[in-house]
Amino acid sequence: MESINAKYVSQKISKTRWRPVSHSSLQQPEIFATGSWDNEDNKISFWSIGNNGPSGLEDGFEGDPQLLCEHKHDGDVLDLQFLDQDKIVTASSTGAVTIFRHHQNSQTVSVSQCWARAHRYPCDNAPCTGVVCSSPEIVTVGEDGRIILFRADQEGVMRVIENADSSTIHAVTYLRTTEILTVNSIGQLKLWDFRQQSNSPSQILSLSGDRVPLHCVDRHPNQQHIVATGGQDGMLCVWDVRQGNTPFSLMEAHSTEMWEVHFHPTNPDHLFTCSEDGSLLHWETSAHSEMPSFLQGGRNNSMISRSAMAPAGGNQSLISAWLSGDSSKGRLETTHMLPSQTLSVNSLDVLGQCLVCGTDGEAIFVNRQVPV
């Protein structure tokens, strides 16, 4: 726990994301972005944990996040995704989708492009609840049940699926280059194929029994058919989209809403969840002996942004623990990552050996020694 740095920032943090590190470099991430919510003036902010921060960094504690720059954000930041090294896309409670550019030479932020009221009701704005990027494409979802496809290099909208859902769509991720997954407020996971002109999903999976709202989704980086979701009941659900229409396994994770779930992008034996109950959990399968050598020792792995497309294939043994049904409980170890429970942990991101999370307690926590 001593490797965790806490930074109090006088604003509730709704989202936090590492800036992607290039494939070829073996460095650990140093810069991350945060978005705020429920404040009088919301912001997106860029932070550094490296040595390229402002002068005087050596006066602080090593690893203490240093504010590089920030920019006012209209409405709550409901999602945040890096498009590339310099640009980040935000989803706003006002329904707007905005691309911000981080100018690293001058450490300033500017608005590169904005689609105001992208998500809307007939007579009011509808919050944009989720965004996922595969540069130059951007996909957003919202409370209005719409799915919108943008391109960062074009002003117009590429495609809109108007009535994709009759309920709120809470989150979106890529399954493959032309396919996305959405989760909604009635416990459904929907697959959409942009190659099809149809405005209907190509597949619908759902939680059996009660229609528990799903809040978050992430795809296994190597095995695209494996997906993890979390929702209002705090359960961690693992799905195999090739087989059946219900979750493959359900695990009790948190006592209240799970806000985010993320596989480690280069070592998916490790998974992380955070919750309204103030906890941040590290899930680890115990199949280490079967791990191929290129995934051992995390420190020297090449890293990618989680929104980038991972190659198909991968080692089958890596995923056996996630897909071994309820018996997998015995093969999963869970660790509490925060020293003590706090107010809601709204967001987390992990890259290399670095983990960052943001809370309603107006604090950012950074761990640079994640055991992966």
Side-chain angles (χ1 to χ4, degrees):
M1 293 303 173
E2 64 277 359
S3 58
I4 289 183
N5 293 78
K7 179 84 170 183
Y8 292 91
V9 294
S10 304
Q11 50 185 340
K12 292 181 180 179
I13 299 298
S14 55
K15 290 292 167 180
T16 177
R17 299 287 181 253
W18 289 110
R19 189 180 76 181
V21 179
S22 69
H23 255 317
S24 53
S25 74
L26 299 178
Q27 75 210 65
Q28 293 290 319
E30 292 186 345
I31 292 175
F32 64 91
T34 60
S36 70
W37 82 291
D38 198 28
N39 304 292
E40 208 163 297
D41 291 308
N42 289 302
K43 303 170 185 172
I44 67 155
S45 309
F46 289 85
W47 306 81
S48 173
I49 58 167
N51 299 322
N52 59 349
S55 59
L57 181 65
E58 59 274 6
D59 298 337
F61 295 107
E62 185 187 356
D64 214 22
Q66 302 290 317
L67 179 64
L68 297 176
C69 50
E70 57 190 12
H71 196 287
K72 185 177 183 295
H73 186 272
D74 292 331
D76 296 336
V77 178
L78 298 186
D79 203 359
L80 191 67
Q81 294 289 339
F82 273 92
L83 183 69
D84 55 32
Q85 292 273 317
D86 304 312
K87 292 191 284 293
I88 195 162
V89 184
T90 64
S92 173
S93 58
T94 67
V97 178
T98 308
I99 304 176
F100 290 90
R101 180 185 288 273
H102 176 205
H103 305 274
Q104 295 181 51
N105 292 336
S106 59
Q107 291 304 344
T108 56
V109 188
S110 63
V111 174
S112 176
Q113 190 152 342
C114 180
W115 294 275
R117 297 194 72 227
H119 291 271
R120 59 186 182 271
Y121 299 118
C123 55
D124 198 7
N125 296 342
C128 177
T129 52
V131 58
V132 66
C133 304
S134 177
S135 185
E137 294 189 341
I138 301 164
V139 179
T140 66
V141 296
E143 260 187 33
D144 54 357
R146 301 169 105 208
I147 297 172
I148 307 178
L149 175 64
F150 306 91
R151 277 182 66 102
D153 51 6
Q154 295 185 20
E155 287 186 18
V157 171
M158 296 289 293
R159 183 173 177 187
V160 180
I161 302 179
E162 280 289 352
N163 299 303
D165 220 303
S166 57
S167 61
T168 297
I169 306 176
H170 282 141
V172 58
T173 191
Y174 273 99
L175 187 66
R176 295 178 184 84
T177 311
T178 59
E179 292 177 283
I180 60 164
L181 287 163
T182 59
V183 292
N184 67 15
S185 59
I186 56 171
Q188 292 176 323
L189 178 63
K190 296 184 178 181
L191 280 66
W192 305 84
D193 189 341
F194 283 135
R195 292 169 299 186
Q196 298 176 2
Q197 293 306 306
S198 165
N199 285 351
S200 301
S202 55
Q203 191 177 347
I204 300 177
L205 300 87
S206 62
L207 296 168
S208 54
D210 296 336
R211 293 189 161 190
V212 178
L214 292 173
H215 293 310
C216 53
V217 59
D218 196 27
R219 184 211 65 195
H220 190 288
N222 306 326
Q223 305 280 330
Q224 284 98 329
H225 54 278
I226 297 175
V227 176
T229 63
Q232 186 172 288
D233 59 0
M235 297 286 282
L236 172 62
C237 307
V238 178
W239 311 68
D240 183 345
V241 299
R242 302 170 307 178
Q243 300 173 10
N245 294 317
T246 56
F248 207 93
S249 58
L250 292 163
M251 289 156 276
E252 292 182 11
H254 299 277
S255 59
T256 55
E257 288 96 337
M258 185 192 299
W259 293 130
E260 287 197 345
V261 56
H262 292 307
F263 286 101
H264 190 281
T266 50
N267 191 350
D269 273 357
H270 299 261
L271 180 140
F272 300 83
T273 59
C274 64
S275 169
E276 178 76 25
D277 66 13
S279 63
L280 172 66
L281 293 181
H282 173 194
W283 301 73
E284 179 182 1
T285 70
S286 52
H288 288 303
S289 59
E290 301 170 10
M291 195 186 303
S293 59
F294 69 87
L295 279 180
Q296 290 175 352
R299 186 176 298 275
N300 293 319
N301 289 342
S302 62
M303 289 165 282
I304 55 169
S305 162
R306 196 180 50 257
S307 62
M309 293 295 97
N315 188 300
Q316 199 63 32
S317 66
L318 280 178
I319 53 138
S320 57
W322 295 122
L323 287 187
S324 54
D326 290 333
S327 63
S328 66
K329 289 176 183 173
R331 302 179 62 190
L332 281 173
E333 297 175 18
T334 56
T335 307
H336 282 269
M337 296 290 288
L338 295 181
S340 60
Q341 292 197 332
T342 173
L343 295 177
S344 176
V345 182
N346 297 323
S347 181
L348 74 97
D349 199 22
V350 61
L351 193 57
Q353 288 187 297
C354 297
L355 182 142
V356 60
C357 70
T359 74
D360 271 356
E362 303 191 344
I364 301 166
F365 294 92
V366 176
N367 185 334
R368 299 210 284 181
Q369 298 174 15
V370 178
V372 294

